């Protein structure tokens, strides 16, 4: 039985395998080997869409197998990614740009995979990330994947550097300045979505973990934990959580919360997945409750997550493929995460269900297109091969490793779920 200390500022967690059936483990190991051999390298160096995410898979696969071939592959990729930073200096974003690459280098160093001195490499990068992060926050582009919160996540890895503290404090100030405060609620307009040419609204509020208010809640809770402007952080946290909970649908038929606001035929229900929906909302609330020792937030989060864990219909929940972003392996990973923290059996049941669905997609290649990802292109569904972390087999492989081993998936902090 793993040791878990609850209601303490820092959780001590011993990761345990959730899949213990010998035949299933053998199949997953064969799938992981197949994934490792099937990955095709690309000229895209990014974290979510390219080589940096692939390197994470190889490092964790090395940790699982002990085969130095995979560590060597990862090291080669990381060296090339480091050299590539100047080539993508115009893309600041966490998802596609140099911020995500540099964040990954710091996270890999912290977790013992690589060794280097950040002060030597990152002095100029720190300045660039700070400038771009604050520029995005000043125009209220807080989007985690493409805006300011992604830069904030990078600087959390740079603490206790003075520029990291200074930038993180300014982010908090800018979140306060741009907040829409009404009585006891706080929210932020989704300017990233509003800048889309197709957008018809003057105000829009995003409830997804990938792009919306839940990502801000997660970020503020980590700042609070790190003693960065704690009073202001808690004020913003309390108000934004109050606002989020008030968006609960009055007559829910599937999800408890909408996709976004204002409500229309596309946003009145939310899918089940990492990017949008109740699963991301519940996870962000639970993490906020842990870091602030707020039992009420944790209790509400558990209620939301238990409700979502009983949604098993793939079609109704818009679960088409196995990817991390909105597919079976991402859902399985998130329920596994919350199970490991709470030991609530329903989360284990849900995680095993979604891992079984992932396995079925690997077995039934003709029926489920294997581990191909479904993309919407020209208003048509197209099944394509994808190698990357967020939509492809690298991410699927990382999720499967965490299901059969004692290796905690510390990499998943880049998804805001740990």
């Amino acid at each position: 039985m793993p040791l878990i200390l609850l209601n303490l500022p820092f959780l001590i967690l011993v990761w345990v395998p959730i899949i213990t059936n010998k035949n299933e483990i053998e199949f997953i190991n064969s799938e992981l080997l197949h994934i490792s051999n099937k990955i095709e390298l690309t000229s895209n160096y990014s974290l979510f869409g390219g080589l940096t995410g692939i390197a994470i898979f190889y490092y964790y696969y090395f940790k699982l197998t002990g085969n130095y071939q995979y560590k060597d592959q990862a090291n080669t990729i990381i060296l090339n990614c480091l050299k590539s930073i100047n080539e993508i200096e115009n893309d600041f974003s966490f998802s596609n740009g140099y911020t995500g690459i540099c964040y990954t280098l710091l996270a890999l160093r912290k977790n013992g995979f690589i060794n280097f001195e950040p002060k030597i490499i990152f002095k100029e990068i720190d300045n660039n990330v700070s400038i771009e992060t604050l520029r995005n926050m000043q125009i209220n582009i807080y989007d985690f994947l493409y805006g300011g919160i992604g830069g904030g996540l990078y600087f959390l890895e740079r603490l206790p550097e003075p520029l990291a503290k200074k930038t993180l404090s300014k982010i908090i100030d800018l979140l306060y300045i741009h907040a829409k405060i009404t009585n006891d609620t706080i929210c932020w307009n989704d300017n990233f979505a509003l800048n889309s040419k197709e957008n018809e609204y003057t105000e829009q509020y995003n409830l997804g973990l990938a792009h919306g208010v839940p990502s801000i809640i997660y970020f503020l809770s980590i700042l609070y934990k790190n003693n960065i402007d704690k009073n202001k952080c808690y004020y913003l946290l309390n108000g934004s959580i109050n606002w989020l909970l008030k968006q609960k649908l009055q007559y829910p038929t599937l999800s408890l919360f909408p996709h976004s606001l204002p409500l229309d035929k596309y946003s009145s229900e939310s899918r089940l997945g990492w990017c949008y929906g109740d699963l991301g909302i519940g996870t962000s609330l639970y993490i906020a409750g842990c870091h602030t020792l707020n039992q009420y937030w944790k209790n509400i989060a558990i209620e939301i997550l238990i409700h979502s864990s009983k949604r098993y219909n793939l079609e109704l929940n818009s679960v088409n493929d196995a990817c991390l972003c909105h597919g079976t392996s991402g859902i399985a990973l998130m329920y596994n995460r919350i199970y490991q923290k709470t030991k609530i059996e329903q989360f284990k049941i849900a995680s095993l269900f979604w891992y079984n669905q992932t396995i079925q997609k690997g077995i039934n290649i003709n029926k489920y297109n294997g581990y191909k990802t479904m993309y919407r292109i020209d208003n048509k569904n197209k099944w394509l091969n994808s190698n990357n972390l967020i939509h492809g087999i690298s991410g699927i492989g990382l999720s499967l490793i965490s299901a059969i081993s004692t290796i905690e998936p510390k990499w998943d902090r880049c998804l805001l779920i740990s």
Side-chain angles (χ1 to χ4, degrees):
M1 178 70 69
L3 173 64
I4 300 181
L5 303 180
L6 298 176
N7 295 322
L8 291 174
F10 301 98
L11 300 180
I12 298 173
L13 174 65
V14 177
W15 194 265
V16 296
I18 197 169
I19 293 177
T20 56
N21 179 278
K22 183 179 178 181
N23 292 333
E24 290 180 352
I25 292 172
E26 287 180 357
F27 176 79
I28 289 173
N29 276 318
S30 69
E31 288 295 277
L32 289 169
L33 179 61
H34 180 64
I35 287 171
S36 71
N37 292 327
K38 189 179 179 182
I39 289 175
E40 297 178 0
L41 300 187
T42 171
S43 59
N44 183 330
Y45 291 99
S46 69
L47 169 55
F48 279 0
L51 289 170
T52 300
I54 291 171
I56 296 173
F57 167 75
Y58 279 130
Y59 277 123
Y60 276 82
Y61 194 43
F62 156 70
K63 197 168 186 179
L64 178 72
T65 63
N67 188 332
Y68 277 84
Q69 169 193 344
Y70 303 116
K71 185 176 184 181
D72 291 342
Q73 285 178 278
N75 286 339
T76 300
I77 291 172
I78 287 298
L79 285 173
N80 289 331
C81 289
L82 193 57
K83 294 174 184 176
S84 77
I85 290 173
N86 291 332
E87 298 176 19
I88 57 172
E89 60 183 3
N90 293 327
D91 192 336
F92 144 81
S93 72
F94 191 85
S95 174
N96 297 333
Y98 62 83
T99 301
I101 295 173
C102 295
Y103 162 86
T104 303
L105 293 173
L106 293 166
L108 290 170
R109 176 180 179 267
K110 182 169 70 176
N111 292 321
F113 289 106
I114 58 177
N115 187 29
F116 65 94
E117 178 45 61
K119 286 185 178 180
I120 297 173
I121 299 176
F122 287 165
K123 184 177 181 180
E124 183 178 351
I125 291 170
D126 283 354
N127 290 328
N128 292 340
V129 175
S130 180
I131 290 168
E132 288 299 313
T133 296
L134 297 179
R135 183 184 68 81
N136 276 268
M137 295 303 298
Q138 284 162 359
I139 57 175
N140 203 20
I141 303 293
Y142 61 79
D143 190 278
F144 158 58
L145 294 184
Y146 306 110
I149 296 298
L153 201 64
Y154 165 84
F155 277 115
L156 282 167
E157 296 297 325
R158 293 295 284 126
L159 290 172
E161 290 296 313
L163 182 58
K165 288 185 176 181
K166 183 179 179 181
T167 304
L168 290 169
S169 291
K170 285 185 177 179
I171 292 173
I172 296 169
D173 290 339
L174 289 165
L175 282 171
Y176 180 81
I177 289 169
H178 290 295
K180 182 178 180 180
I181 302 173
T182 307
N183 298 324
D184 64 340
T185 70
I186 295 173
C187 62
W188 292 268
N189 210 6
D190 183 6
N191 278 11
F192 182 80
L194 288 172
N195 287 342
S196 168
K197 292 181 181 179
E198 294 81 19
N199 204 304
E200 60 189 82
Y201 301 113
T202 57
E203 288 191 4
Q204 188 165 341
Y205 302 94
N206 193 307
L207 277 71
L209 183 59
H211 303 285
V213 172
S215 67
I216 297 179
I217 290 171
Y218 172 91
F219 178 65
L220 288 169
S221 73
I222 303 295
L223 292 174
Y224 181 92
K225 174 186 173 183
N226 282 278
N227 298 308
I228 309 291
D229 294 348
K230 290 186 74 169
N231 290 338
K232 190 173 286 187
C233 271
Y234 195 87
Y235 171 76
L236 293 172
L237 268 173
N238 189 59
S240 56
I241 290 174
N242 286 343
W243 177 85
L244 187 59
L245 293 178
K246 288 184 179 182
Q247 308 317 311
K248 187 175 179 180
L249 294 168
Q250 188 173 3
Y251 303 107
T253 58
L254 184 66
S255 64
L256 295 177
F257 292 87
H259 171 281
S260 58
L261 298 171
L263 297 179
D264 58 28
K265 65 179 180 179
Y266 301 109
S267 65
S268 58
E269 295 279 9
S270 56
R271 71 189 311 160
L272 191 65
W274 167 75
C275 50
Y276 283 95
D278 296 354
L279 185 49
I281 289 171
T283 297
S284 67
L285 292 181
Y286 185 81
I287 290 171
C290 289
H291 291 327
T292 60
L293 304 184
N294 188 314
Q295 190 62 45
Y296 172 71
W297 291 347
K298 288 171 65 175
N299 291 344
I300 292 293
I302 293 298
E303 290 178 11
I304 294 168
L305 290 166
I306 285 179
H307 179 274
S308 72
S309 72
K310 297 175 182 178
R311 293 166 56 184
Y312 295 125
N313 187 302
L314 276 71
E315 183 177 356
L316 285 178
N317 291 297
S318 301
V319 183
N320 300 302
D321 51 42
C323 74
L324 284 182
C325 181
H326 46 259
T328 58
S329 71
I331 298 169
L333 172 68
M334 292 179 76
Y335 283 125
N336 193 7
R337 254 290 169 200
I338 202 70
Y339 168 70
Q340 301 278 349
K341 292 178 181 179
T342 65
K343 295 305 174 193
I344 294 175
E345 190 69 15
Q346 175 57 32
F347 297 137
K348 181 179 181 181
I349 293 170
S351 182
L352 289 172
F353 172 83
W354 290 106
Y355 273 124
N356 180 260
Q357 294 301 310
T358 305
I359 291 170
Q360 291 303 314
K361 291 183 183 301
I363 294 172
N364 298 307
I365 294 175
N366 293 328
K367 182 178 179 181
Y368 295 114
N369 292 285
Y371 292 138
K372 288 184 177 181
T373 302
M374 192 181 83
Y375 290 92
R376 189 74 174 168
I377 301 174
D378 297 330
N379 294 318
K380 294 181 180 179
N381 295 331
K382 294 188 178 181
W383 291 90
L384 303 175
N385 291 319
S386 179
N387 299 301
N388 65 45
L389 178 74
I390 199 67
H391 291 130
I393 56 177
S394 297
I396 295 168
L398 281 164
S399 179
L400 290 172
I401 289 171
S402 70
I404 63 170
S405 73
T406 59
I407 303 169
E408 182 183 356
K410 294 181 180 180
W411 59 269
D412 67 5
R413 189 177 184 184
C414 74
L415 300 175
L416 311 185
I417 64 174
S418 64

